[in-house]
């Protein structure tokens, strides 16, 4: 990972009126490990089937998509997902920016032409997110927390937005 992000050292939990809670952190991490490990064991066969379907739908690439994301304290990590787009989708992004339905650094398009047939289904059902259980097990993510942003978004963050990097990103957000 060649991206470098300099997280402001003066931005800490203490600086915003909160402090680390070691016992809470231990319980949360233990819960993350147990749940992600059990889910990965239970979902192993469905993972293989989904990967096979993705490969059959678009055999030009891996069934998995690996994306560099920014985690706690600005630390980059590789996030895993099932691939829901065609190979080369990121190269097409600039030409689609005029159709962006979101303000700010994130991109969202209702009928994105880069999404594969199976990709529509796995996105709608959030199946594409399941490989992030590996990230939870590895400790890069937690089960619940803010979604992990890409570097392109983080460099546009205000000082207030950077506060979300004080905690581990999550597989699912708290409002879900």
């Amino acid at each position: 990972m060649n991206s470098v992000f300099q997280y402001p050292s003066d931005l800490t939990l203490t600086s915003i009126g909160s402090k680390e809670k070691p016992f809470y952190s231990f319980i949360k991490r233990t819960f993350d490990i147990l749940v992600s490990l059990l889910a990965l064991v239970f979902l192993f066969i469905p993972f293989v089937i989904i990967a096979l379907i993705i490969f059959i739908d678009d055999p030009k690439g891996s069934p998995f998509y690996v994306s560099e994301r920014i985690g706690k304290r600005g630390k980059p990590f590789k996030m895993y997902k099932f691939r829901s787009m065609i190979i080369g989708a990121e190269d097409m992004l600039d030409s689609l920016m005029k159709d962006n339905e979101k303000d700010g650094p994130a991109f969202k398009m209702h009928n994105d032409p880069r999404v594969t047939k199976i990709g529509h289904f796995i996105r709608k059902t959030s199946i594409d997110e399941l490989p992030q259980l590996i990230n939870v097990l590895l400790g890069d993510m937690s089960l619940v927390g803010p979604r992990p942003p890409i570097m392109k978004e983080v460099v546009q963050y205000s000082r207030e937005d950077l506060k979300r990097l004080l905690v581990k990103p999550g597989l699912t957000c708290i409002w879900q």
Side-chain angles (χ1 to χ4, degrees), residues 137-151:
L137 188 61
L138 294 172
D140 293 323
M141 292 176 65
S142 184
L143 291 171
V144 178
R147 294 298 298 145
I150 58 176
M151 177 66 77

Side-chain angles (χ1 to χ4, degrees), residues 114-141:
R114 304 170 301 160
V115 179
T116 63
K117 285 180 253 170
I118 188 67
H120 287 287
F121 174 75
I122 65 173
R123 282 177 163 214
K124 189 173 186 173
T125 57
S126 296
I127 290 171
D128 63 324
E129 308 285 345
L130 290 177
Q132 291 170 42
L133 288 165
I134 297 166
N135 292 111
V136 173
L137 188 61
L138 294 172
D140 293 323
M141 292 176 65

Side-chain angles (χ1 to χ4, degrees), residues 42-154:
F42 180 72
L43 294 171
F44 179 75
I45 298 298
F47 268 40
V48 171
I49 293 168
I50 293 163
L52 198 59
I53 292 169
I54 291 169
F55 182 75
I56 290 168
D57 185 41
D58 185 11
K60 296 180 187 120
S62 168
F64 297 96
Y65 172 72
V66 180
S67 174
E68 184 176 280
R69 299 297 174 112
I70 305 301
K72 186 175 181 177
R73 304 248 184 266
K75 180 185 171 205
F77 69 96
K78 290 181 181 179
M79 185 184 79
Y80 304 102
K81 293 179 82 168
F82 281 120
R83 184 171 59 87
S84 62
M85 291 188 169
I86 60 173
I87 298 299
E90 289 177 0
D91 299 333
M92 298 170 65
L93 185 59
D94 286 341
S95 65
L96 296 171
M97 284 307 284
K98 66 185 179 318
D99 299 316
N100 190 4
E101 296 167 6
K102 273 195 135 188
D103 292 330
F107 179 82
K108 183 82 170 172
M109 184 177 171
H110 182 64
N111 286 317
D112 195 328
R114 304 170 301 160
V115 179
T116 63
K117 285 180 253 170
I118 188 67
H120 287 287
F121 174 75
I122 65 173
R123 282 177 163 214
K124 189 173 186 173
T125 57
S126 296
I127 290 171
D128 63 324
E129 308 285 345
L130 290 177
Q132 291 170 42
L133 288 165
I134 297 166
N135 292 111
V136 173
L137 188 61
L138 294 172
D140 293 323
M141 292 176 65
S142 184
L143 291 171
V144 178
R147 294 298 298 145
I150 58 176
M151 177 66 77
K152 186 176 173 181
E153 295 170 356
V154 174

